[in-house]
């Protein structure tokens, strides 16, 4: 009897070990980005990882490296292109791979989030996906990077003229500098890591970013006004390396694309909620919040599109960009 029980116990143990071995993921994929877990990108990353784990029945595990743990956006982008990293999401640096995509960073290209979705989920999104595939990047989804708003210490920004003389920090995007200079501001680029101190010391009067940064970057400590201008929408590209993608069987490639769509929808919902909460939180923090006269800003910004395209693009890309703009405008 003892022998029987011992044998049964051993068999049970071996069975458990076999079950654990079967449950181990077939693929472990590294996902690195610069986003904090509580940000739009951080939320999208977690939703994507959870979705992949569920839809693949545990066959794929996504290992997340947030907050720049493996490098900046440009570093991660290049690592994905060269198969040193499996997954990432990037916003502005994508134009270093395909300058044509700078069209999406032009002011007031997108009317609202529904317009963004209709554009990127249609023929324009397919065009972008095919162009990036030619450049060693597999697009799994288009995430929200957020509509950009203005904070400053001088006055509320209701109309473009309110920017007259305001020193404003921008990312290193020549079209953004052109936009604010055209509205009378004094715009210049500055690395993100230096923005808070530059606002604190008065080197800059203001900056522009998605409104959630007021809380996440503690801008409420060094800024008085938050103005919802929504002048630029940031498209965040969910990207996979061709090598990692090719190793997945067809059913798991389908899972990756499905979870790309699921996580994209999650980032949009997160962005909408973040905008609403950002206004309330900024008010609670003592900031003055206002909705700007968007049509007045559009009247100044959209006529600049042609000049901006000629400044940042060359050759055939100029004509392609103008055609792309028409397609985007005609998308309902």
């Amino acid at each position: 009897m003892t022998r029987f029980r011992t044998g049964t116990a051993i068999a049970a143990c071996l069975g458990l070990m076999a079950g654990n071995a079967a449950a181990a993921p077939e693929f472990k994929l590294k996902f690195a980005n610069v986003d904090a877990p509580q940000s739009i990108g951080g939320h999208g990353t977690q939703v994507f990882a959870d979705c992949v784990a569920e839809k693949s029945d545990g066959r794929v595990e996504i290992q997340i490296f947030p907050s720049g743990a493996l490098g900046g956006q440009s570093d991660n982008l290049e690592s994905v292109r060269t198969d040193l990293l499996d997954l990432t999401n990037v916003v502005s640096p994508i134009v270093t791979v395909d300058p044509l995509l700078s069209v999406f960073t032009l002011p007031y290209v997108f009317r609202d989030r529904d317009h963004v979705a209709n554009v990127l989920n249609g023929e324009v999104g397919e065009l972008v996906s095919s162009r990036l595939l030619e450049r060693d990047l597999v697009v799994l989804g288009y995430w929200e990077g957020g509509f950009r708003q203005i904070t400053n210490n001088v006055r509320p920004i209701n109309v473009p003229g309110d920017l007259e003389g305001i020193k404003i920090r921008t990312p290193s995007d020549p079209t953004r500098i052109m936009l604010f200079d055209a509205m009378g501001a004094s715009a210049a680029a500055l690395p993100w890591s230096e923005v808070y101190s530059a606002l604190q010391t008065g080197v800059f009067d203001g900056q522009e970013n998605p409104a959630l940064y007021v809380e996440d970057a503690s801008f409420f400590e060094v800024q008085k006004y938050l103005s919802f201008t929504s002048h630029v929408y940031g498209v965040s590209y969910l990207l996979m390396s061709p090598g990692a993608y090719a190793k997945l069987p067809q059913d798991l490639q389908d899972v990756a694309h499905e979870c790309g769509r699921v996580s994209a929808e999650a980032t949009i919902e997160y962005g909408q909620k973040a905008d609403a909460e950002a206004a309330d939180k900024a008010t609670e923090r003592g900031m003055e919040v206002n909705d700007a006269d968007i049509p007045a800003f559009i009247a100044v910004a959209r006529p600049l599109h042609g000049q901006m395209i000629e400044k940042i693009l060359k050759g055939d890309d100029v004509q392609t960009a103008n055609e792309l703009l028409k397609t985007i405008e005609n998308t309902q």
Side-chain angles (χ1 to χ4, degrees):
M1 184 67 93
T2 302
R3 260 186 227 159
F4 176 77
R5 286 178 178 171
T6 302
T8 301
I10 293 173
C13 182
L14 291 173
L16 180 61
M17 292 173 62
N20 288 340
E26 298 174 37
F27 302 92
K28 291 185 178 182
L29 304 177
K30 292 182 178 180
F31 191 137
N33 57 26
V34 301
D35 303 304
Q38 72 273 17
S39 67
I40 297 176
H43 178 66
T45 304
Q46 191 61 58
V47 170
F48 177 78
D50 292 343
C51 176
V52 168
E54 178 186 352
K55 301 291 184 181
S56 71
D57 294 324
R59 294 166 62 199
V60 181
E61 177 185 333
I62 306 295
Q63 300 172 319
I64 301 173
F65 298 84
S67 304
L70 298 186
Q73 286 195 57
S74 296
D75 299 322
N76 292 335
L77 179 61
E78 188 58 27
S79 293
V80 168
R81 292 186 73 197
T82 55
D83 291 327
L84 297 176
L85 177 65
D86 303 313
L87 294 149
T88 193
N89 68 290
V90 301
V91 187
S92 300
I94 198 68
V95 301
T96 62
V97 176
D98 187 355
L100 181 65
L101 302 189
S102 57
V103 167
F104 296 137
T105 70
L106 298 181
Y108 299 106
V109 167
F110 297 113
R111 296 187 288 272
D112 50 36
R113 286 182 172 90
D114 286 340
H115 186 215
V116 175
N118 290 338
V119 168
L120 295 179
N121 292 332
E123 61 178 287
V124 172
E126 292 176 1
L127 171 66
V128 172
S129 181
S130 64
R131 288 178 66 95
L132 290 180
L133 185 59
E134 293 172 356
R135 292 159 175 79
D136 301 319
L137 292 167
V138 178
V139 177
L140 297 181
Y142 300 104
W143 286 2
E144 163 143 342
F147 279 101
R148 299 178 81 91
Q149 322 298 347
I150 298 171
T151 67
N152 83 101
N153 277 326
V154 180
R155 65 181 75 91
I157 307 301
N158 292 295
V159 295
D162 292 331
L163 283 163
E164 185 70 36
I166 290 180
K167 296 175 293 184
I168 189 164
R169 178 268 176 185
T170 71
S172 55
D173 179 348
T175 65
R176 201 74 48 83
I177 294 173
M178 287 176 65
L179 171 66
F180 284 105
D181 284 350
M183 294 180 181
S186 177
L190 186 74
W192 170 248
S193 60
E194 301 174 29
V195 175
Y196 182 94
S197 61
L199 296 172
Q200 186 178 42
T201 57
V203 173
F204 284 95
D205 300 314
Q207 61 83 47
E208 48 91 54
N209 259 301
L212 59 85
Y213 283 87
V214 169
E215 188 72 19
D216 289 354
S218 299
F219 284 154
F220 59 84
E221 297 176 346
V222 292
Q223 298 278 264
K224 296 178 181 178
Y225 306 101
L226 167 60
S227 302
F228 279 80
T229 52
S230 300
H231 50 279
V232 167
Y233 179 86
V235 178
S236 181
Y237 300 80
L238 173 58
L239 305 168
M240 189 171 189
S241 77
Y245 184 79
K247 291 177 182 177
L248 298 178
Q250 181 65 55
D251 64 321
L252 293 183
Q253 290 179 354
D254 293 341
V255 165
H257 285 288
E258 180 181 0
C259 291
R261 178 186 55 77
V262 169
S263 58
E265 293 173 353
T267 63
I268 294 169
E269 292 175 4
Y270 191 96
Q272 289 175 314
K273 182 180 179 183
D275 277 355
E277 292 180 349
D280 292 338
K281 288 179 180 178
T283 300
E284 292 171 3
R285 295 290 195 177
M287 294 183 71
E288 184 176 326
V289 180
N290 72 283
D291 291 320
D293 182 350
I294 301 297
F297 278 85
I298 290 174
V300 174
R302 284 188 178 163
L304 299 172
H305 285 177
Q307 298 175 41
M308 291 176 171
I309 287 173
E310 291 180 0
K311 184 177 182 65
I312 58 180
L313 297 176
K314 299 178 181 179
D316 294 341
D317 278 349
V318 173
Q319 181 178 345
T320 304
N322 284 313
E323 293 171 353
L324 188 56
L325 273 179
K326 290 180 181 178
T327 301
I328 294 172
E329 183 179 352
N330 292 331
T331 300
Q332 299 303 311

